[in-house]
Amino acid sequence: MPLRLSSSLAYRSPRMPLTHRHMTSRSIRSSAPRRSQQQTPESYVPDPSAGTMLRFQASLPRLPVPPLSDTVNKYLDTVKPHLTETEYTATQASAHAFLNSTQAAELQQRLEARAVDPSIKNWLADWWNEVAYMGYRDPVVVYVSYFYVHIDDPKRRDPAKRAASLIKAMLPFRHLVESKELEPDKAKGVPLCMESYKWLFHSSRYPVKPSDKARKFDPTVYNHVVVMRKNKFFEVPLATVEGRELSTAELEVQIERVMQLAGNDNNVPVGALTSENRDVWADAREALLAASPLNAASLERIESAAIVVCLDDTKPVTREDISWACWVGDGRNRFYDKHQLIVFDNGRSGFLGEHSCMDGTPTLRFNEFMLASLAARKVDLGPPRTVFTGASLPRPTELKFELDAKCMTYVEGACKHFDELVGRHDMEVLHYEGYGKEMIKKFKVMPDTWVQLVKQLAFHKMFNRPGVTYESCQTRKYQLGRTEVIRSASSESKAWAEAMLDPDEMDENRTVLFRRAAARHLQYVTWALEGEGVDRHLFGLKKMLREGEQMPDLFSDPAYGRTSHWELSTSQLSSKFVDGWGYGEVVPDGYGLSYSIGDHYIRWTITSLKKETAELKHYLAEAATETRFMLERAAVTEKSQADCGKAKL
């Protein structure tokens, strides 16, 4: 897919701690990924019996456990810009004591044994899915879900036409996934793990105490979508009784019927329950099941659907309005435990991702497939619409609920809690058109690195210090791989940002510092891509502690908590078919900061608990412009000096 495949969606759940140690440039180079872990496309032996999509799964390497000394060194290097000299000295002593302890050696040995256990494909996967997603109890909407805004389709401004075309374009991709005929994702020719794709269609998350579950339904048994309108649920089959797939015109008729059946009055919003705290939703679901057998049947039809299609009766226009509507909506006309396509009354559309079982790259590929195939007219729409279209089709079935007083109390509480939670948030979208990746590449800098440094400068402008930054990086080159952290703030980025804020500093020196910061960011990226970052390893070491064993001092050091308090939760996802995307902040005083880099623009979506979001938007634009002008001025000076030198010769 045309995005940086090393990107995934930012981790959006509990505040996970981190660790590190100062390194000289020599020690940094010595900590680079080991050659034994480098694999080429020829290293992967396909297994035809697994199907096209999964044929490389058995050949994927296991997630490595980095050497303990490397991780401690990296930890110290990344915490240094956030600490005073005195604080750093104390943290350095704590980290060295941990590194040299018998306890650290024992924890490392246990983790290495787990990593080679043949019964475990990935030493991190089960733990991470539990802690970051299934065991996380805050509402998924705002804290876990993420959204995409689709590019407009000028030929389909009518909501029924738009919804029908998206559903029709979805079906070939669903077939490729369910039949395992989809070609695997690759990065630089190396295949990536495709296990998570099974959760893309006909699946649902379930609220369970103390940890949620997920269920995959058989697509040969369930062949329908659920369409929501006015808080009501309608089942729409995707094929006729004889098994013929519905045409786009027939789907359009069915969508129009849903809109007619829904009427103008909002129903009791049962879907709002999915926006609740997970324990509360678990109790509410039990109450629903106890109230009537009809409720169990309706839930089963919703949860087994290929996808949920939400028809909203609003007409968002601005970037902020449609981003907000795709991200949270009104909290009623949604079912947040499933992936959802969202279509508005002006024909605009988007997608809301249920994050627990898969990250962003698979859902982006799915959305791009739909939108690209429609734009290229490669979707078999079927016969054109006539007055008889849909005449033989049964009308959509409303999935009703019978609610007693207890259920109504849960629904009312869910609506109240949603409104309170969302009301505390705000969002800004900066579509910066000063330049994009084409200009950035002229300076021989990676666009992602450039944008991360711009963010650091913007944060310095607001707070006069580095921001503790989480940049998400996918590790799907490994079996069951998900994400690792790129700690984008560095001592080098701090030095550059401070130079940019010093009015007496020369652009030539600022440029030198900028390129040092860029090189350091690329080193951090390399570590994360190779599964040799800081955060997942330290998390794994903590998980290896047994009951009654003392927590190492490293993890109680204030620096550990402070430098894993993700003030900036950042992630890149770039596609010409996605006109915006985003997610929520991960700490109360932080920002969700998603971004896309186009040929001629950079777009940020900024979310927070009303923490001067508009001000950060302003500083991002200012920092982006100043970075460009700084490099351009330095280039002019350098050329002038070179020309002068030639003239003297």
Side-chain angles (χ1 to χ4, degrees):
M1 63 191 77
L3 82 161
R4 188 171 71 98
L5 270 177
S6 59
S7 285
S8 183
L9 290 177
Y11 162 50
R12 226 156 340 294
S13 47
R15 308 29 166 155
M16 297 303 301
L18 52 143
T19 51
H20 244 80
R21 179 184 78 153
H22 178 55
M23 297 186 270
T24 64
S25 58
R26 174 173 294 183
S27 66
I28 291 165
R29 285 194 295 270
S30 68
S31 297
R34 296 174 296 283
R35 289 186 181 275
S36 62
Q37 294 182 6
Q38 304 298 327
Q39 295 216 339
T40 64
E42 294 74 25
S43 306
Y44 299 87
V45 180
D47 176 11
S49 66
T52 299
M53 187 173 77
L54 302 177
R55 68 184 186 275
F56 295 117
Q57 288 298 119
S59 295
L60 295 179
R62 288 170 169 263
L63 184 70
V65 176
L68 187 59
S69 59
D70 282 8
T71 296
V72 172
N73 282 340
K74 294 169 190 174
Y75 168 68
L76 283 169
D77 185 69
T78 59
V79 302
K80 190 172 186 180
H82 305 289
L83 305 178
T84 67
E85 189 172 332
T86 300
E87 290 171 334
Y88 179 75
T89 299
T91 294
Q92 188 178 42
S94 174
H96 284 158
F98 173 71
L99 178 60
N100 296 320
S101 68
T102 56
Q103 184 185 33
E106 174 63 23
L107 295 176
Q108 177 76 358
Q109 187 177 35
R110 292 175 191 173
L111 189 58
E112 290 173 347
R114 177 180 171 87
V116 296
D117 185 337
S119 66
I120 300 174
K121 293 182 179 180
N122 182 309
W123 64 260
L124 174 66
D126 290 343
W127 289 341
W128 191 250
N129 292 350
E130 168 68 18
V131 172
Y133 298 105
M134 293 307 191
Y136 184 61
R137 308 322 287 163
D138 281 346
V140 293
V141 61
V142 175
Y143 293 121
V144 181
S145 303
Y146 60 94
F147 71 89
Y148 305 145
V149 175
H150 293 161
I151 58 167
D152 277 350
D153 185 345
K155 295 183 178 181
R156 297 177 177 89
R157 299 293 189 188
D158 177 82
K161 289 182 181 295
R162 181 57 163 166
S165 68
L166 290 172
I167 295 170
K168 189 65 175 176
M170 172 193 79
L171 296 180
F173 197 80
R174 181 186 66 152
H175 170 76
L176 290 171
V177 171
E178 300 296 353
S179 65
K180 298 182 176 58
E181 296 174 21
L182 184 69
E183 186 64 25
D185 295 330
K186 294 181 179 179
K188 296 184 178 179
V190 172
L192 304 180
C193 183
M194 299 293 287
E195 283 282 351
S196 65
Y197 270 82
K198 71 179 180 182
W199 301 107
L200 192 52
F201 304 107
H202 300 284
S203 68
S204 185
R205 176 175 179 159
Y206 286 80
V208 179
K209 296 180 182 180
S211 182
D212 285 3
K213 306 296 182 185
R215 179 182 173 186
K216 169 72 177 183
F217 291 83
D218 186 348
T220 64
V221 176
Y222 301 91
N223 190 26
H224 65 281
V225 294
V226 165
V227 181
M228 295 188 69
R229 177 74 172 184
K230 296 290 184 178
N231 311 334
K232 302 169 186 174
F233 300 86
F234 297 88
E235 179 177 337
V236 176
L238 295 170
T240 64
V241 175
E242 296 77 23
R244 176 182 60 80
E245 185 179 288
L246 266 58
S247 67
T248 307
E250 290 171 324
L251 287 168
E252 183 183 333
V253 169
Q254 294 290 63
I255 298 296
E256 289 175 349
R257 288 173 175 174
V258 165
M259 298 176 75
Q260 293 167 358
L261 290 169
N264 297 318
D265 297 325
N266 288 322
N267 197 31
V268 175
V270 174
L273 294 172
T274 62
S275 73
E276 266 285 18
N277 169 281
R278 302 307 294 178
D279 288 344
V280 175
W281 171 210
D283 292 338
R285 193 173 188 278
E286 290 301 316
L288 276 178
L289 296 175
S292 170
L294 178 66
N295 298 341
S298 293
L299 282 172
E300 194 254 3
R301 300 309 294 176
I302 295 167
E303 292 154 353
S304 62
I307 202 166
V308 171
V309 181
C310 305
L311 303 177
D312 281 12
D313 58 2
T314 58
K315 298 179 179 180
V317 174
T318 67
R319 291 187 182 278
E320 284 81 6
D321 285 348
I322 193 167
S323 294
W324 188 268
C326 289
W327 181 34
V328 296
D330 65 358
R332 278 79 169 167
N333 199 54
R334 294 286 187 276
F335 196 84
Y336 294 107
D337 283 359
K338 288 179 66 70
H339 297 311
Q340 297 168 91
L341 292 170
I342 305 165
V343 179
F344 303 96
D345 269 0
N346 56 358
R348 302 196 72 185
S349 64
F351 173 86
L352 185 67
E354 202 296 293
H355 204 347
S356 64
C357 292
M358 65 193 327
D359 297 311
T361 46
T363 58
L364 178 66
R365 184 176 179 185
F366 160 52
N367 278 266
E368 283 192 317
F369 181 96
M370 288 189 298
L371 300 170
S373 57
L374 286 169
R377 299 183 181 182
K378 292 185 177 180
V379 179
D380 181 5
L381 302 176
R385 184 167 178 173
T386 69
V387 293
F388 303 106
T389 298
S392 62
L393 295 177
R395 298 177 72 81
T397 304
E398 182 174 359
L399 303 174
K400 297 183 178 181
F401 290 87
E402 293 179 351
L403 307 177
D404 57 17
K406 187 175 183 180
C407 292
M408 287 298 297
T409 298
Y410 275 120
V411 172
E412 291 165 3
C415 293
K416 178 176 180 289
H417 297 154
F418 173 88
D419 291 343
E420 290 173 347
L421 175 62
V422 171
R424 294 195 295 270
H425 283 78
D426 61 3
M427 171 191 285
E428 296 283 344
V429 180
L430 172 60
H431 189 76
Y432 178 81
E433 296 182 320
Y435 57 84
K437 64 183 178 183
E438 285 195 1
M439 191 283 295
I440 293 173
K441 289 180 178 179
K442 291 179 180 178
F443 288 98
K444 294 180 170 44
V445 179
M446 292 293 292
D448 181 76
T449 293
W450 179 295
V451 174
Q452 283 292 334
L453 292 175
V454 165
K455 290 179 186 178
Q456 288 300 316
L457 177 55
F459 197 90
H460 271 81
K461 283 174 170 285
M462 280 189 73
F463 300 104
N464 200 33
R465 62 176 177 83
V468 179
T469 306
Y470 182 120
E471 181 184 358
S472 184
C473 176
Q474 75 167 11
T475 54
R476 285 177 54 212
K477 66 183 288 185
Y478 300 107
Q479 291 188 40
L480 302 184
R482 292 198 65 164
T483 60
E484 176 59 278
V485 184
I486 303 168
R487 293 185 164 206
S488 298
S490 65
S491 296
E492 289 80 3
S493 67
K494 179 182 180 181
W496 169 70
E498 290 175 345
M500 290 294 291
L501 297 179
D502 182 354
D504 298 322
E505 185 60 82
M506 301 294 291
D507 284 327
E508 292 82 358
N509 188 47
R510 289 169 173 164
T511 299
V512 171
L513 294 173
F514 178 84
R515 294 199 176 277
R516 287 177 183 170
R520 174 46 56 92
H521 179 262
L522 286 178
Q523 176 67 81
Y524 288 176
V525 170
T526 301
W527 286 333
L529 279 171
E530 296 300 325
E532 297 187 340
V534 170
D535 297 277
R536 303 302 188 251
H537 185 194
L538 291 179
F539 169 73
L541 293 174
K542 285 183 69 176
K543 290 293 290 184
M544 294 313 308
L545 284 167
R546 294 171 181 166
E547 187 175 353
E549 292 183 336
Q550 183 177 354
M551 182 71 69
D553 290 342
L554 174 73
F555 299 110
S556 58
D557 178 14
Y560 181 80
R562 187 193 310 175
T563 58
S564 59
H565 185 78
W566 306 117
E567 298 171 300
L568 295 177
S569 176
T570 76
S571 184
Q572 184 207 154
L573 181 155
S574 299
S575 168
K576 66 179 181 179
F577 296 103
V578 173
D579 198 33
W581 82 286
Y583 47 81
E585 77 290 337
V586 303
V587 294
D589 56 343
Y591 302 88
L593 203 55
S594 61
Y595 59 106
S596 302
I597 309 172
D599 289 339
H600 305 290
Y601 69 85
I602 306 170
R603 184 174 52 243
W604 288 276
T605 301
I606 317 160
T607 59
S608 81
L609 283 164
K610 298 186 177 179
K611 300 294 183 182
E612 299 179 315
T613 315
E615 285 81 351
L616 181 54
K617 173 182 177 179
H618 167 81
Y619 284 123
L620 281 167
E622 196 172 75
T625 300
E626 290 177 1
T627 300
R628 173 185 182 175
F629 287 166
M630 174 269 296
L631 288 166
E632 287 180 341
R633 289 193 301 265
V636 169
T637 301
E638 182 180 346
K639 184 177 185 302
S640 176
Q641 292 173 344
D643 291 344
C644 183
K646 290 179 181 178
K648 289 180 179 180
L649 293 175

